[in-house]
Amino acid sequence: MSDDQNYQLETLAVRAGTARSQFHEHSEAMFLTSSFVFDSAEQAAKRFIGEEPGNIYSRFTNPTVTMFEERLAALEGAEQCIATASGMAAILATCMGVLKAGDHVVASRSLFGASVNLLGGILKKFGVETTFVSATEVAEWAAAVRPETKLFFLETPSNPLTEISDIAAIAAVAKQHGALLAVDNCFCTPILQRPLEFGADIVIHSATKYIDGQGRVLGGAVLGNKKTLEGVYQFLRTAGTTMSAFNAWVFLKGLETLKLRMDAHSANALQLARWLETQPNVTRVFYPGLPSHPQQGLAKRQQKTGGGIVAFEVKGGKEAAWRVIDHTQMLSITANLGDTKTTITHPATTTHARNTPEQRAAAGISDSLLRIAVGLEAVEDIQRDLARGLG
Ligand SMILES: *Cc1c(COP(=O)(O)O)cnc(C)c1O
């Protein structure tokens, strides 16, 4: 494939990054090798001091991982992609790469739970402070900035309430204050949203979710320009939070069907969200593709569809919400998402159980809230499964 920038996303997802070995294999090869051999002592020396490009050791680079990185970089429109062992490893590597003791972070309050614990807990021990602000109120981001602010961090749409952060507006505030903006693009993937186009500096993925798409392996990625990511790469190659060749191979195959899957997840989710709005025992539906979503206009400008995550509230609090879950016969009762199989979660007693009731109330996570990560089953079958407990 030439470097033609005009290839569309579907094509890049199938073709970008492919590098064939001497055997001319058609499907990308999995290079299960921890190290690589050199032709001579001189070549070894040149590789180690960076005078000659090439693989040395799979903690640094591996050909299968490189193919995955190049393919995802092409999809996000990024100069560089660094694959990591998990989504959290990507977030850790980003923080370790761009921050130092004494720096300050402004982050959305509606982040993935482990991201909140990393920023608000672990990094605090190393002298990095984080101020958590509203995902949607841009003025709060500006007000939280300090002279030592180096990083803005957000996730859009948020989990589980699908709030939309205005990437371009928040990027402008970050830029004005000399801070970098990192966007966790896990829920949309580059098929639906490309944050770099809206002014973000760094894109982060949990590839575990939609990029795999079938719930098999863990992985992550950090994307941006080479200069911004230099420290991230140095951290990774030293600390070893690297993606395995096997997982990279699974993700390469996942990327090939990503466009088809994201379109299908989105179509199913929209149909399910519309149906939920007609159910008498459903009091509210949260989905960016619905006219009832308070930020539908922003969502339309920023992402191609509403995505695959739908949340809704039922009449009757926790008891009624649990009743819906316990009457399902097909849906998977699990907190995972981005799978071909539809999953159902009660956030208040699972993903957000460690928050205090006051924190949950502030975040809008009520006891009657359920989250569905809509899979690829027939939507009528998903509806029938939910209808059993909705009464
Ligand atoms: C799952 C998830 C992560 C963490 O990814 P892992 O691969 O589980 O480490 C980060 N951000 C978001 C939005 C997620 O959904």
Side-chain angles (χ1 to χ4, degrees):
M1 195 180 186
S2 75
D3 280 341
D4 189 339
Q5 295 295 307
N6 294 323
Y7 285 116
Q8 300 198 29
L9 285 182
E10 294 89 323
T11 311
L12 294 171
V14 173
R15 297 271 178 188
T18 302
R20 298 207 167 94
S21 78
Q22 67 190 99
F23 300 112
H24 306 279
E25 66 281 356
H26 186 210
S27 179
E28 292 72 13
M30 191 188 337
F31 289 94
L32 290 183
T33 178
S34 47
S35 71
F36 300 84
V37 293
F38 311 106
D39 294 336
S40 64
E42 189 192 358
Q43 190 186 44
K46 281 186 169 164
R47 289 267 175 97
F48 269 86
I49 61 168
E51 229 172 61
E52 179 189 299
N55 296 298
I56 299 173
Y57 188 55
S58 284
R59 171 151 44 80
F60 311 158
T61 56
N62 171 283
T64 311
V65 177
T66 302
M67 285 191 265
F68 166 72
E69 289 171 335
E70 291 189 357
R71 188 169 290 178
L72 188 57
L75 289 170
E76 285 285 7
E79 188 182 7
Q80 192 183 13
C81 171
I82 301 170
T84 59
S86 67
M88 287 318 301
I91 298 171
L92 174 67
T94 301
C95 292
M96 297 303 266
V98 306
L99 300 170
K100 60 178 187 325
D103 286 347
H104 175 247
V105 179
V106 184
S108 163
R109 209 173 280 129
S110 323
L111 292 180
F112 184 69
S115 304
V116 174
N117 295 343
L118 176 68
L119 289 166
I122 294 173
L123 289 184
K124 203 168 170 188
K125 286 199 303 184
F126 296 92
V128 172
E129 273 204 43
T130 300
T131 305
F132 292 98
V133 298
S134 156
T136 54
E137 299 301 319
V138 181
E140 285 192 24
W141 293 74
V145 170
R146 303 178 191 168
E148 59 277 16
T149 303
K150 291 282 156 50
L151 180 69
F152 279 22
F153 191 90
L154 64 85
E155 199 179 299
T156 180
S158 74
N159 178 21
L161 294 175
T162 72
E163 297 164 289
I164 310 292
S165 295
D166 188 333
I167 300 173
I170 294 171
V173 176
K175 193 165 199 169
Q176 193 190 337
H177 297 281
L180 297 168
L181 170 62
V183 174
D184 182 334
N185 201 26
C186 170
F187 274 32
C188 275
T189 82
I191 300 298
L192 303 186
Q193 170 175 280
R194 305 209 309 164
L196 299 176
E197 285 176 355
F198 295 97
D201 302 286
I202 296 171
V203 173
I204 288 170
H205 279 286
S206 168
T208 315
K209 312 295 167 51
Y210 289 106
I211 292 178
D212 174 353
Q214 296 172 59
R216 297 163 295 191
V217 296
L218 274 85
V222 186
L223 299 106
N225 71 37
K226 284 199 171 114
K227 197 161 157 272
T228 309
L229 299 190
E230 179 53 31
V232 179
Y233 176 67
Q234 288 307 329
F235 172 78
L236 202 82
R237 87 175 250 162
T238 306
T241 44
T242 324
M243 178 180 285
S244 80
F246 177 82
N247 289 11
W249 180 82
V250 172
F251 292 131
L252 269 167
K253 298 293 114 187
L255 285 176
E256 290 177 11
T257 57
L258 186 61
K259 168 76 165 71
L260 289 174
R261 287 186 288 105
M262 291 315 291
D263 288 350
H265 282 296
S266 304
N268 267 3
L270 178 60
Q271 201 178 327
L272 186 71
R274 284 181 178 148
W275 175 82
L276 284 166
E277 277 196 327
T278 68
Q279 298 306 298
N281 286 328
V282 171
T283 51
R284 189 162 171 204
V285 181
F286 303 84
Y287 185 67
L290 290 176
S292 60
H293 193 285
Q295 299 162 289
Q296 200 204 10
L298 172 61
K300 273 207 167 126
R301 285 199 300 283
Q302 208 166 264
Q303 42 185 91
K304 282 193 195 125
T305 70
I309 310 292
V310 179
F312 63 100
E313 284 173 347
V314 290
K315 258 183 221 156
K318 179 184 136 181
E319 211 173 297
W322 276 25
R323 189 182 133 84
V324 173
I325 292 182
D326 291 335
H327 278 73
T328 60
Q329 295 174 4
M330 174 186 76
L331 301 196
S332 307
I333 306 170
T334 171
N336 196 34
L337 63 97
D339 199 296
T340 53
K341 299 177 175 72
T342 298
T343 68
I344 185 163
T345 315
H346 184 241
T349 51
T350 59
T351 53
H352 293 70
R354 287 203 246 168
N355 295 2
T356 63
E358 294 73 29
Q359 281 172 326
R360 278 199 297 276
I365 316 280
S366 72
D367 284 352
S368 53
L369 184 75
L370 289 161
R371 187 199 73 190
I372 310 274
V374 185
L376 303 184
E377 304 95 339
V379 73
E380 294 77 9
D381 291 331
I382 302 170
Q383 288 167 6
R384 218 155 15 105
D385 216 31
L386 288 170
R388 279 186 247 281
L390 269 176

